[in-house]
Amino acid sequence: MSQQKSHGKHRRKHTRSSHKAGLPPGSVVYGGVERKVGPILRAIRYDTGSFEERILHSPQEIAPFLALPGVKWIDLEGLADTKLLEAVGHALKLHPLLIEDIANTNQRTKLEEDGEQLIVFVRDFERNKETGVLDDAQVAIALGSGFIFTFCELPPSEFAVIRERLRIGQGLTRQNGADYLLYRMLDMLVDQYFIVIDDVNDRLEVLQTKVLETPGDKEILPEIFETRQELLLLRKSILPLRDVLSALERRESPLMHPVTRAYFRDVYDHTLHVAESIDTLRDLETASLDVYLSRLSLRQNDVVRMLTVISTIFLPLTFLAGIWGMNFDVMPELRWQYGYFAALGVMAVLAVIMMIYFKRQRWL
């Protein structure tokens, strides 16, 4: 499917935060995009030697499932059903304000602590293959004793990869606890930033080529500003995520094994790399905009210079035509047999002389 032109793209719209004005604290109002299918409550249980996956049909099934041995991962895909979200939140004994934050999918990246649980709010980015728009969605991850609970506005592709690795027993996740699963989730979400950044870098290279080769293209400026918006969105998400990972690395909690904290340090280093890459791309975007405006200004100057040269050439010709157009009785040239042709010749010679002069001055 062909991609839409940049100026015809539209980012996914979230509900404005002002729609909750005046509501009491803890009011659960969904602020994200509507899914075409209903919510899915998926449960996974695993340990070194076993793996189990099922679909939960009711929040009442959560408590018995969490009582089972092994590491548990419950994933709620789709948050539009606020009644289901509240029921799930109450089953996990989450504070009402945290449930409200989960439903309001415009939350900034942050780390919250609620009793015996740690909740990480992070954003997932992925390029829409059909429209070319950079989609972003909120992911809330709650870490408890022996379990992980994820609340996803849209299903992240990274989580599907983690589930598949758990099924086949690939990697170290099956051999570690829930805190290691949290690390794997955050690590893969940060890795997705690298993919998006590479894509933005490729688009900037194409933009730079278009700026130099076709400076008059009207689509360039909207594409530059769209790229700027994407970089700002990425930067707005990665900087607080860096602080979250730093806090997880330093936090001494019974939910976090000391060995696992070292893994969070590695993800923290990745966020530093992402932030530096974003700053570099922002500089390239600014340079592309400056070059585009400079090329546009030079093109306008060339047009103005050409018009000025033409006006200058016709100025003496207009002057001569004005003199010979005066109706005085005593004007010998008017009655000369070859006056008309002489006047045209004088004008032509003047025009040629001025064009040669302008050419030598490199004004043409």
Side-chain angles (χ1 to χ4, degrees):
M1 182 180 294
S2 60
Q3 292 185 353
Q4 298 176 358
K5 293 184 178 180
S6 296
H7 57 267
K9 297 176 182 178
H10 298 280
R11 193 174 306 283
R12 296 190 307 110
K13 293 184 178 180
H14 295 265
T15 305
R16 293 181 179 270
S17 299
S18 58
H19 72 293
K20 296 180 59 180
L23 295 178
S27 299
V28 180
V29 179
Y30 181 58
V33 296
E34 298 291 340
R35 284 167 50 95
K36 295 181 179 179
V37 296
I40 300 176
L41 191 59
R42 181 185 287 107
I44 291 176
R45 185 181 64 86
Y46 65 88
D47 53 29
T48 305
S50 63
F51 174 85
E52 177 189 359
E53 182 176 6
R54 66 174 80 166
I55 298 296
L56 302 183
H57 302 285
S58 170
Q60 284 72 30
E61 300 180 47
I62 293 177
F65 183 80
L66 293 179
L68 297 175
V71 178
K72 283 77 64 177
W73 172 19
I74 301 179
D75 180 35
L76 177 59
E77 293 181 0
L79 309 177
D81 189 343
T82 55
K83 291 184 179 180
L84 175 61
L85 177 58
E86 286 188 274
V88 170
H90 293 153
L92 291 175
K93 299 179 180 179
L94 292 178
H95 194 280
L97 292 178
L98 278 176
I99 302 175
E100 176 187 3
D101 288 347
I102 293 172
N104 181 15
T105 56
N106 295 320
Q107 294 295 318
R108 66 187 299 273
T109 302
K110 61 180 180 178
L111 173 64
E112 297 280 0
E113 186 170 3
D114 182 25
E116 298 180 354
Q117 299 181 30
L118 295 177
I119 299 93
V120 178
F121 290 83
V122 66
R123 304 208 70 81
D124 176 47
F125 292 91
E126 190 168 352
R127 180 75 64 182
N128 191 305
K129 295 180 180 180
E130 295 183 356
T131 64
V133 173
L134 182 62
D135 289 337
D136 68 297
Q138 176 177 287
V139 178
I141 308 173
L143 171 65
S145 179
F147 71 89
I148 285 279
F149 209 113
T150 52
F151 301 84
C152 304
E153 179 185 2
L154 295 173
S157 58
E158 299 86 359
F159 285 6
V161 175
I162 294 176
R163 283 193 293 268
E164 182 60 28
R165 290 181 178 179
L166 287 173
R167 291 187 189 102
I168 63 178
Q170 183 180 1
L172 300 175
T173 309
R174 291 262 296 265
Q175 304 172 21
N176 290 274
D179 55 342
Y180 188 87
L181 178 59
L182 172 62
Y183 150 71
R184 290 296 299 136
M185 290 177 175
L186 294 177
D187 183 49
M188 295 202 68
L189 288 171
V190 171
D191 286 344
Q192 182 65 23
Y193 280 77
F194 285 107
I195 297 175
V196 173
I197 285 175
D198 288 341
D199 180 73
V200 173
N201 182 63
D202 294 340
R203 289 169 176 258
L204 268 177
E205 290 180 355
V206 174
L207 267 177
Q208 289 175 330
T209 302
K210 292 173 67 175
V211 165
L212 295 175
E213 294 181 354
T214 57
D217 191 345
K218 295 181 179 180
E219 296 182 5
I220 292 179
L221 193 59
E223 290 179 2
I224 289 178
F225 279 103
E226 182 183 0
T227 303
R228 170 174 291 185
Q229 290 177 352
E230 292 178 353
L231 291 173
L232 287 175
L233 185 62
L234 288 169
R235 189 172 187 271
K236 182 180 177 182
S237 300
I238 197 64
L239 292 183
L241 179 56
R242 180 181 61 185
D243 298 334
V244 166
L245 289 165
S246 178
L248 288 173
E249 176 198 349
R250 299 191 307 268
R251 183 179 294 272
E252 294 184 1
S253 169
L255 300 175
M256 303 284 293
H257 194 280
V259 176
T260 308
R261 292 208 299 266
Y263 289 103
F264 286 107
R265 186 182 308 117
D266 179 67
V267 185
Y268 173 78
D269 292 338
H270 291 173
T271 60
L272 293 179
H273 186 188
V274 171
E276 292 172 356
S277 300
I278 291 174
D279 289 338
T280 301
L281 291 177
R282 290 182 68 195
D283 292 339
L284 289 175
E285 181 272 333
T286 301
S288 299
L289 179 60
D290 292 341
V291 171
Y292 172 76
L293 295 177
S294 298
R295 295 274 294 177
L296 195 62
S297 178
L298 287 174
R299 188 167 176 267
Q300 291 175 345
N301 290 341
D302 289 340
V303 173
V304 172
R305 182 175 58 185
M306 180 61 66
L307 294 175
T308 302
V309 167
I310 294 174
S311 300
T312 305
I313 291 174
F314 276 90
L315 182 62
L317 308 186
T318 305
F319 174 73
L320 293 177
I323 291 178
W324 287 322
M326 293 186 296
N327 297 321
F328 289 110
D329 292 334
V330 183
M331 290 189 70
E333 302 93 325
L334 297 179
R335 294 180 174 80
W336 185 28
Q337 180 179 359
Y338 302 103
Y340 172 72
F341 300 102
L344 291 180
V346 170
M347 293 180 181
V349 170
L350 282 174
V352 171
I353 292 174
M354 295 183 71
M355 290 180 66
I356 293 174
Y357 176 77
F358 292 149
K359 191 73 173 178
R360 289 183 177 179
Q361 296 295 324
R362 295 184 178 179
W363 294 350
L364 285 176

